[in-house]
């Protein structure tokens, strides 16, 4: 079942291009809409079916280290669930939202290529395939950021290409060094060769850290994200902020630093980078006037929180980091979708031009409120429990300063999102928005799905579900377990 | 070109392109007519023998695309659009990728593993034959088609369009 996560989106992408050429009438829009939604829905169902299943898949029957293998362990399966759920919500949202763009018919094929790349990164069992899938996902996201073709969007896309290209060069160089040192590219074999002395691969690991932290937009390297993510169409912003930076940046770095090498210095680096990210992004977030830009800065701040949790290098820290990663994916995609819904009706993203939308767009306002509550850590929602777990993990790791910085970030997030709710959805009603209507049903249903998941994610804090879902993912971040899974 | 006067017949137009938009001198065009077929054939050869000699789908596809690029450079847009236009190459591009995926999927269908070499398993390896490598030649052909049309498409789209700034929006317009 593992290769279908790559086959379905890849085939879907090219079938959509083909259908666009073969069908001449306007029916092609309906056909491509349903094809893309079908593909992402199938992926979502497949990923939920593969919960608590693990295994290594040898492509073509060639055994590693010489063949390519795909590995599904607890962490991969959890990431697959998150990525494919968010991508389903985003395609559902796109059906009506993307009508305003002229080249909608090519949009889905880029979208599905990006999903294929992300699923590939998550499942890949060797370094070079990881790089290839990473480039597939990155290159399609460069095109999607500039999809509106306005001058400022093209500029953001170009900035993103340059930064992403530098990151990819670092990663490729790191892979080259690893290959020259070990002679294989398979992660499990390299892990076995380096188990006695993890510092054997210090230089490639530092290159990887640079590369993946650029992809994750951690603080010294964050400058591309506040331009790129607001410029993209809303469903793409949801994908980029919700899952792409986590898959290409965080998942890869934690998989390599903790799942393959057990690199302790890396944990220290991640911890300090995480703290710096929280401070810088939380402060700049509160100065933003653009709705989507504020959310982009909030993404950076949460990336810092997740990095901080992983940087604690304890089992509870990993658990908390994975939990917050999952929560943040859901709530940030939800918030970007609601910002898209606001933009769809009002045509502006500037917060001071908006106001009193809660009465006109009740579903959007309600889902946005749920997302804001969750991201600022208000109790019944998922975000509260993951932030609590991060703080508990920091205290348990005898690092109370980290806990304080996590609280600092949360408080500033609460302040920023309270301002969003006040200026956009409550506050005084503006005259020009008197005749505003709620967005179409496909868009509201996408937002409702994610809002329900925001609430449902809090259930994962219960020991029963935690054992089923989060603990296997945290256990996967152990070189011993990874080697046992692949090498048998 | 003046069709009414009949100074050149239709055959000449397909052979030499439309003289109003054509690219280079008569010498280049004549040389191009001589070599274009051989370059394309060489590309096909590299694709087909990728499993026996150095080369393969990617290298062969690039060479085959080179022949189309040469035609575009020598004759301008007129002639290449009759051979392989934008739509046709985009369809070929998708078909190549889908063929590649289908061969991989056929491995699951027959042998149980993605990309398993099911032809070799079924018929055994026949040394010194064309299909001695099982389905690798087929995969090479799929990659060759994909790479040929994709590289040509990149060149073609860049050569026929121009990006202009209209107000605050960049627009792609067709070159005249």
């Amino acid at each position: 079942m593992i290769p279908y996560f790559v086959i379905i989106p890849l085939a879907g992408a090219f079938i959509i291009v083909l259908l666009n050429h073969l069908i001449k009438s306007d029916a092609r829009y309906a056909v491509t809409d349903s094809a893309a939604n079908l593909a992402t829905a199938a992926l979502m169902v497949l990923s939920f079916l593969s919960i608590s299943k693990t295994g290594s898949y040898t492509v073509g029957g060639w055994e590693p280290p010489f063949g390519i293998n795909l590995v599904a362990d607890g962490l991969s399966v959890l990431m697959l669930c998150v990525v494919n759920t968010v991508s389903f919500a985003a395609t559902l949202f796109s059906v009506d939202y993307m009508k305003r763009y002229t080249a909608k018919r090519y949009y889905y094929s880029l979208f599905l290529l990006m999903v294929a790349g992300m699923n590939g990164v998550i499942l890949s069992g060797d370094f070079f395939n990881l790089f290839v899938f990473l480039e597939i996902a990155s290159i399609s996201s460069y095109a999607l950021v500039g999809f509106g073709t306005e001058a400022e969007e093209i500029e953001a896309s170009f900035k993103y290409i340059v930064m992403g290209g530098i990151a990819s060069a670092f990663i490729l160089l790191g892979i080259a060094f690893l290959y020259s040192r070990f002679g294989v590219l398979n992660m499990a074999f390299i892990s076995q060769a380096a188990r006695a002395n993890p510092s054997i691969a210090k230089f490639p690991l530092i290159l990887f850290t640079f590369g993946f932290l650029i992809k994750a937009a951690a603080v010294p390297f964050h400058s591309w994200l506040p331009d790129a993510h607001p410029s993209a169409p809303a469903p793409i912003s949801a994908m980029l902020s919700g899952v792409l930076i986590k898959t290409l940046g965080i998942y890869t770095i934690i998989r390599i630093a903790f799942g393959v090498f057990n690199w302790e210095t890396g944990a220290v680096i991640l911890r300090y980078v995480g703290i710096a990210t929280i401070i810088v992004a939380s402060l700049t977030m509160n100065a933003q006037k653009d709705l989507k830009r504020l959310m982009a800065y909030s993404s950076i701040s949460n990336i810092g929180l997740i990095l901080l949790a992983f940087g604690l290098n304890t089992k509870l820290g990993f658990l908390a980091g994975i939990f917050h990663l999952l929560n943040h994916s859901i709530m940030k995609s939800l918030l970007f979708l609601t910002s898209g819904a606001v933009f769809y009706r009002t045509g502006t993203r500037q917060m001071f031009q908006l106001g009193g939308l809660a009465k006109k767009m009740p579903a959007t306002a309600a889902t946005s409120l749920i997302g804001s509550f969750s991201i600022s850590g208000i109790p019944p929602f998922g975000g509260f429990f993951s932030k609590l777990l991060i703080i508990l993990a920091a205290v348990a790791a005898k690092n109370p300063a980290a806990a304080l910085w996590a609280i600092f970030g949360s408080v500033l997030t609460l302040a920023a999102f309270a301002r969003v709710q006040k200026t956009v959805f409550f506050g005084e009603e503006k005259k020009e928005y008197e005749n505003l209507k709620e967005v179409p049903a496909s868009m509201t249903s996408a937002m409702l799905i994610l809002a329900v998941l925001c609430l449902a994610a809090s259930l994962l804090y219960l020991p029963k579900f935690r054992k089923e879902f989060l603990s296997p993912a945290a256990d996967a971040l152990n070189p011993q377990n990874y080697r046992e899974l692949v090498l048998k | 070109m003046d069709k009414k006067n009949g100074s050149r017949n239709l055959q000449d137009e397909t052979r030499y392109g439309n003289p109003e938009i054509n690219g280079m001198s008569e010498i280049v065009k004549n040389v191009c007519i001589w070599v274009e077929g051989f370059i394309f054939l060489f590309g096909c050869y590299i694709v087909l023998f990728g499993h026996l000699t150095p080369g393969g789908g990617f290298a062969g596809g690039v060479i085959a695309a080179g022949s189309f690029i040469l035609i575009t450079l020598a004759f301008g847009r007129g002639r290449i659009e009759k051979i392989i236009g934008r739509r046709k190459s985009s369809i070929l591009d998708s078909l190549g990728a889908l063929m590649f995926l289908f061969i991989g999927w056929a491995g699951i269908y027959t042998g149980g593993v993605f990309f398993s070499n099911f032809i070799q398993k079924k018929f055994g390896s026949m040394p010194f034959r064309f299909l001695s490598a099982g389905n690798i030649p087929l995969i090479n052909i799929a990659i060759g088609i994909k790479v040929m049309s994709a590289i040509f498409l990149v060149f073609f789209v860049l050569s026929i369009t121009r990006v202009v700034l209209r107000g605050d929006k960049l627009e792609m317009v067709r070159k005249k």
Side-chain angles (χ1 to χ4, degrees):
Chain A
M1 199 159 76
I2 296 175
Y4 281 107
F5 285 108
V6 182
I7 297 176
I8 292 174
L10 211 53
F14 291 110
I15 286 172
I16 284 172
V17 176
L18 210 55
L19 284 176
N20 273 319
H21 284 296
L22 296 182
I23 306 172
K24 289 280 183 188
S25 64
D26 276 350
R28 64 185 171 198
Y29 291 109
V31 171
T32 48
D33 277 341
S34 40
N37 277 297
L38 205 63
T40 47
L43 286 171
M44 185 174 73
V45 172
L46 265 184
S47 58
F48 278 107
L49 285 179
S50 51
I51 287 176
S52 76
K53 282 180 193 157
T54 55
S56 164
Y57 189 91
T58 53
V59 176
W62 300 92
E63 293 296 324
F66 304 110
I68 295 165
N69 69 333
L70 302 174
V71 183
D73 56 6
L75 182 60
S76 310
V77 171
L78 186 133
M79 288 295 295
L80 282 176
C81 290
V82 171
V83 167
N84 294 313
T85 311
V86 171
S87 64
F88 174 65
T91 40
L92 196 59
F93 192 84
S94 309
V95 172
D96 278 311
Y97 186 83
M98 292 306 289
K99 271 181 188 158
R100 62 176 60 231
Y101 293 90
T102 45
K104 189 190 175 192
R105 50 215 187 93
Y106 301 116
Y107 161 80
Y108 285 121
S109 75
L110 282 170
F111 186 98
L112 287 178
L113 276 178
M114 188 169 80
V115 174
M118 283 193 285
N119 285 347
V121 165
I122 290 165
L123 288 170
S124 174
D126 74 274
F127 282 103
F128 195 73
N129 268 290
L130 189 139
F131 177 75
V132 170
F133 283 121
L134 185 128
E135 282 295 279
I136 293 177
S138 309
I139 290 172
S140 18
S141 70
Y142 303 150
L144 284 167
V145 165
F147 201 75
T149 67
E150 269 173 40
E152 122 194 15
E153 288 163 357
I154 300 278
E155 188 197 333
S157 171
F158 184 71
K159 201 171 180 181
Y160 183 24
I161 290 176
V162 172
M163 294 294 279
I166 292 168
S168 300
F170 271 115
I171 295 162
L172 188 60
L173 198 61
I175 292 171
F177 274 108
L178 272 186
Y179 187 60
S180 74
R181 173 75 72 166
F182 295 104
V184 286
L185 285 165
N186 192 282
M187 287 183 187
F189 279 80
I190 288 180
S191 168
Q192 195 173 33
R195 70 172 182 272
N197 182 14
S199 65
I200 194 170
K202 201 181 276 172
F203 188 57
L205 277 171
I206 288 170
L207 288 174
F208 283 144
T209 313
F210 272 109
F212 291 127
L213 287 185
I214 294 176
K215 294 270 182 202
V219 140
F221 320 112
H222 68 291
S223 61
W224 59 268
L225 191 143
D227 286 336
H229 287 196
S231 305
I236 296 305
S237 311
M239 284 296 283
L240 294 178
S241 256
V243 287
L244 191 94
I245 50 174
K246 299 192 183 69
T247 313
L248 302 192
I250 292 180
Y251 168 81
T252 42
I253 187 69
I254 61 171
R255 166 70 81 199
I256 292 171
F258 306 123
V260 177
F261 283 106
N262 197 11
W263 187 41
E264 279 165 15
T265 328
V268 180
I269 295 175
L270 291 191
R271 193 162 69 230
Y272 285 109
V273 167
I275 291 173
T277 309
I278 292 173
I279 296 169
V280 173
S282 305
L283 291 174
T284 38
M285 170 170 60
N286 277 286
Q288 300 306 315
K289 294 189 180 73
D290 184 325
L291 182 58
K292 280 176 92 175
R293 218 175 158 80
L294 185 145
M295 288 174 184
Y297 272 107
S298 155
S299 284
I300 303 175
S301 141
N302 278 284
I303 288 290
L305 207 54
I306 296 167
L307 285 177
L308 170 69
F310 283 115
L312 296 170
N313 203 5
T314 59
K315 177 91 189 299
L316 193 62
F318 290 160
L319 197 82
I322 291 164
F323 193 19
H324 194 63
L325 189 152
L326 181 146
N327 272 323
H328 183 248
S329 298
I330 296 167
M331 59 210 185
K332 190 43 67 64
S333 347
L334 170 61
L335 284 167
F336 266 115
L337 291 187
T338 56
S339 80
V342 170
F343 182 71
Y344 183 79
R345 282 299 184 215
T346 62
T348 180
R349 301 195 314 236
Q350 299 299 327
M351 289 200 290
F352 60 87
Q353 290 178 0
L354 297 163
L357 296 184
K359 280 179 195 156
K360 310 287 182 197
M361 305 167 76
T364 310
T367 47
S368 173
L369 194 66
I370 291 174
S372 303
F373 275 163
S374 187
I375 203 164
S376 14
I378 307 285
F381 299 100
F384 167 73
F385 293 103
S386 56
K387 284 185 176 179
L388 181 69
L389 213 54
I390 289 176
I391 292 164
L392 288 179
V395 174
K398 299 201 174 57
N399 200 336
L404 278 179
W405 286 119
I407 295 168
F408 170 82
S410 305
V411 171
L412 286 183
T413 308
L414 177 62
F417 279 91
R419 192 161 59 94
V420 168
Q421 290 301 321
K422 182 180 166 292
T423 51
V424 177
F425 292 105
F426 299 100
E428 58 177 306
E429 290 180 38
K430 294 271 164 74
K431 246 184 208 158
E432 56 263 43
Y433 303 132
E434 266 176 356
N435 300 319
L436 225 55
K437 272 184 283 181
E438 183 57 86
V439 287
S442 68
M443 288 162 77
T444 43
S445 52
M447 292 186 291
L448 281 174
I449 291 172
L450 288 175
V452 169
L453 284 176
C454 253
L455 198 56
S458 60
L459 290 177
L460 291 177
Y461 189 71
L462 299 176
K464 184 167 175 278
F465 293 104
R466 209 194 307 181
K467 208 178 286 171
E468 199 117 309
F469 207 62
L470 292 176
S471 296
D475 287 336
L477 285 174
N478 183 344
Q480 186 72 35
N481 296 347
Y482 188 72
R483 285 197 294 268
E484 273 171 17
L485 182 66
V486 180
L487 304 176
K488 307 247 164 59
Chain B
M1 139 108 194
D2 196 353
K3 275 183 191 168
K4 281 175 193 164
N5 291 339
S7 56
R8 275 183 177 174
N9 57 29
L10 201 65
Q11 208 180 356
D12 277 350
E13 196 198 343
T14 52
R15 194 169 166 84
Y16 293 105
N18 188 347
E20 279 163 19
I21 51 166
N22 56 14
M24 296 195 184
S25 69
E26 208 64 21
I27 300 169
V28 179
K29 280 181 195 164
N30 272 311
V31 174
C32 176
I33 287 173
W34 277 95
V35 298
E36 66 192 25
F38 291 108
I39 294 175
F40 185 75
L41 200 64
F42 184 60
C44 295
Y45 167 81
I46 299 273
V47 170
L48 292 177
F49 284 80
H51 57 297
L52 300 172
T53 55
F58 191 89
V62 171
I63 294 169
S67 71
F68 293 134
I69 291 174
L70 180 69
I71 294 170
T72 321
L73 288 176
F75 289 93
R77 210 166 77 202
R79 185 164 167 230
I80 196 69
E81 277 180 342
K82 293 195 180 79
I83 300 171
I84 178 171
R86 190 172 151 181
R87 177 166 177 264
K88 219 185 270 179
S89 53
S90 180
I91 289 176
L92 272 181
D93 176 71
S94 306
L95 279 179
L98 284 175
M99 187 177 157
F100 179 78
L101 266 178
F102 178 77
I103 295 165
W105 176 79
I108 299 184
Y109 188 72
T110 56
V113 191
F114 190 44
F115 269 112
S116 77
N117 201 336
F118 59 93
I119 294 179
Q120 197 188 29
K121 272 182 194 154
K122 206 152 196 179
F123 301 107
S125 60
M126 297 174 284
F128 310 113
R129 295 286 180 82
F130 179 63
L131 281 179
S132 60
N135 57 3
I136 289 176
L138 295 179
I139 293 174
N140 266 333
I141 291 170
I143 297 173
I145 293 173
K146 163 89 190 154
V147 170
M148 178 189 79
S149 43
I151 286 189
F152 170 67
L153 205 57
V154 169
F155 174 80
F156 189 62
V157 170
L158 284 178
S159 69
I160 66 167
T161 51
R162 175 177 290 150
V163 176
V164 290
L165 189 67
R166 270 199 197 127
D168 196 30
K169 223 168 160 74
L170 290 169
E171 264 180 40
M172 268 175 105
V173 289
R174 241 182 140 92
K175 271 185 200 165
K176 291 222 175 85

